[in-house]
Amino acid sequence: MSVIPDLSAAVGHTPLLRLRSASALTGCEVFGKAEFLNPGGSIKDRTALGLVLDAERRGLLRPGGTIVEGTAGNTGIGLALIGASRGYRSVIFMPDTQSREKIDALRVAGAEVRLVPAVPFKDPRHYVHIARAYCESLNDAAPGRAWFGNQFDNTANRDWHEATTGVEIWEQTDGKIDGFVCSAGTGGTLAGVGRALKSRNPGVKIALSDPTGSALANYVNCGELVAEGSSISEGIGSSRVTANFQDASIDLAWSIPDQESVPLLHQLLNEEGWCVGGSSGVNIAGAIRLARALGPGHTVVTVLSDAGTRYQAKLFNPAFLREKGIPVPAWLDKSFSS
């Protein structure tokens, strides 16, 4: 009898998908790790599980306690579901600019959602600072009552991706991997997978695929946190170096405009049937760039972070896309006009 005992056991062990168009375009084998198949619908289920297990081990999260986190959405969904399965309540603070689909998913998952204005990290009203302060207020009233996940600067995030995601990719490719690329929000996935792969083969190239409007690509390439432009992508990019991203071994970095990444999402859905979100488009664009940099015959892996249904009103809305200057494929235009 093959049985999964609980939600936590269903997190991870996602398949590698061969991306046909990207592979044909570059002459490489380009694969995407299907993280949208996690129970909460995103790679952040892994992050959430790693953070919770570490907090339980260290005695920071106690039976019946409250999980508090500041998130763009997906980590909150993972924490809410894993928390519910382990007897915890969740309170999630997130910017009010995030997609309605993610806000609704959080509420369906049982989290108490508190929306706050989208402001820079240096502003004390930033969702991370408000979440931390709220957790501290709960613990002031009743010590040990709450735990702040702190996904950006809690390096249990990076460590868990090193121990799980990176190991899975190595095993799934039989160690025949030449490059890994993905975007960074907390930086946990990129840094953790990079560590796992380079510890097994220092020659594996690790690359950052950064949306315009983020300062991380310029930081890797030039050593300065300078950002230009903007992006409709959610949950990736940063104006600061997090503890998870710090000291990550990154060989290459690119800034990816929406006009390059979003059409790749549309093509993937129309030609290969996979419906993924905006960060996955940035990741696929980075995988194509990395494959071209390495040359034909190499193997490149990236991450398909979550499902496109969480961003339907943006990514698959012709009117919104036109407003942002992003090409609208004929098939999508026809679907909305019929």
Side-chain angles (χ1 to χ4, degrees):
M1 183 180 293
S2 179
V3 176
I4 292 176
D6 57 24
L7 184 81
S8 298
V11 175
H13 306 289
T14 55
L16 276 187
L17 310 178
R18 184 175 187 270
L19 304 182
R20 295 198 308 263
S21 295
S23 297
L25 185 66
T26 61
C28 291
E29 288 297 299
V30 181
F31 301 110
K33 193 147 173 62
E35 291 301 300
F36 59 89
L37 296 179
N38 279 301
S42 87
I43 192 169
K44 294 299 188 177
D45 289 0
R46 290 184 188 262
T47 301
L49 180 58
L51 294 176
V52 166
L53 291 177
D54 179 74
E56 289 177 339
R57 179 182 60 81
R58 296 167 59 195
L60 302 176
L61 183 54
R62 305 174 186 177
T66 297
I67 295 171
V68 180
E69 183 61 307
T71 169
N74 280 334
T75 302
I77 294 168
L79 285 170
L81 292 174
I82 290 168
S85 75
R86 302 170 86 87
Y88 306 122
R89 170 176 170 258
S90 297
V91 181
I92 305 299
F93 292 81
M94 66 186 300
D96 57 12
T97 53
Q98 300 306 291
S99 73
R100 172 54 56 184
E101 293 91 342
K102 282 197 292 188
I103 296 170
D104 290 343
L106 264 170
R107 288 174 172 151
V108 168
E112 179 182 335
V113 181
R114 301 196 179 189
L115 300 177
V116 299
V119 296
F121 183 78
K122 62 183 180 181
D123 191 312
R125 297 171 299 161
H126 189 273
Y127 62 94
V128 170
H129 304 318
I130 292 179
R132 185 193 303 272
Y134 177 75
C135 183
E136 290 173 353
S137 71
L138 292 181
N139 286 326
D140 285 343
R145 175 183 174 187
W147 165 73
F148 175 50
N150 194 21
Q151 60 170 323
F152 292 92
D153 295 306
N154 183 343
T155 54
N157 173 354
R158 178 186 64 201
D159 296 343
W160 189 251
H161 282 289
E162 180 179 1
T164 63
T165 321
V167 173
E168 288 176 30
I169 290 171
W170 179 262
E171 293 176 346
Q172 288 171 320
T173 58
D174 294 326
K176 298 173 183 176
I177 175 173
D178 301 296
F180 174 79
V181 57
C182 75
S183 53
T186 67
T189 302
L190 183 62
V193 172
R195 283 187 174 194
L197 297 178
K198 281 188 174 289
S199 70
R200 290 161 172 81
N201 177 5
V204 176
K205 297 296 183 183
I206 305 299
L208 167 67
S209 191
D210 206 30
T212 52
S214 170
L216 295 179
N218 194 77
Y219 176 78
V220 171
N221 291 325
C222 305
E224 295 182 316
L225 285 168
V226 177
E228 294 182 357
S230 62
S231 173
I232 66 171
S233 299
E234 297 183 16
I236 56 173
S238 183
S239 61
R240 69 183 182 100
V241 176
T242 67
N244 283 292
F245 189 85
Q246 190 173 18
D247 300 326
S249 181
I250 302 172
D251 300 296
L252 299 160
W254 299 284
S255 182
I256 308 290
D258 291 341
Q259 289 74 14
E260 179 180 346
S261 64
V262 177
L264 292 171
L265 298 178
H266 297 151
Q267 181 183 23
L268 185 67
L269 175 56
N270 189 47
E271 297 181 2
E272 302 181 48
W274 301 112
C275 181
V276 294
S279 62
S280 298
V282 175
N283 290 347
I284 295 169
I288 291 171
R289 292 197 185 197
L290 179 56
R292 285 174 167 161
L294 293 174
H298 291 88
T299 297
V300 172
V301 176
T302 190
V303 173
L304 305 180
S305 307
D306 63 2
T309 49
R310 287 204 170 146
Y311 314 91
Q312 183 176 340
K314 294 181 178 180
L315 294 176
F316 303 101
N317 179 346
F320 178 84
L321 295 172
R322 286 196 179 91
E323 178 186 326
K324 299 297 181 180
I326 300 170
V328 179
W331 64 266
L332 181 61
D333 221 8
K334 183 178 180 181
S335 296
F336 273 75
S337 61
S338 60

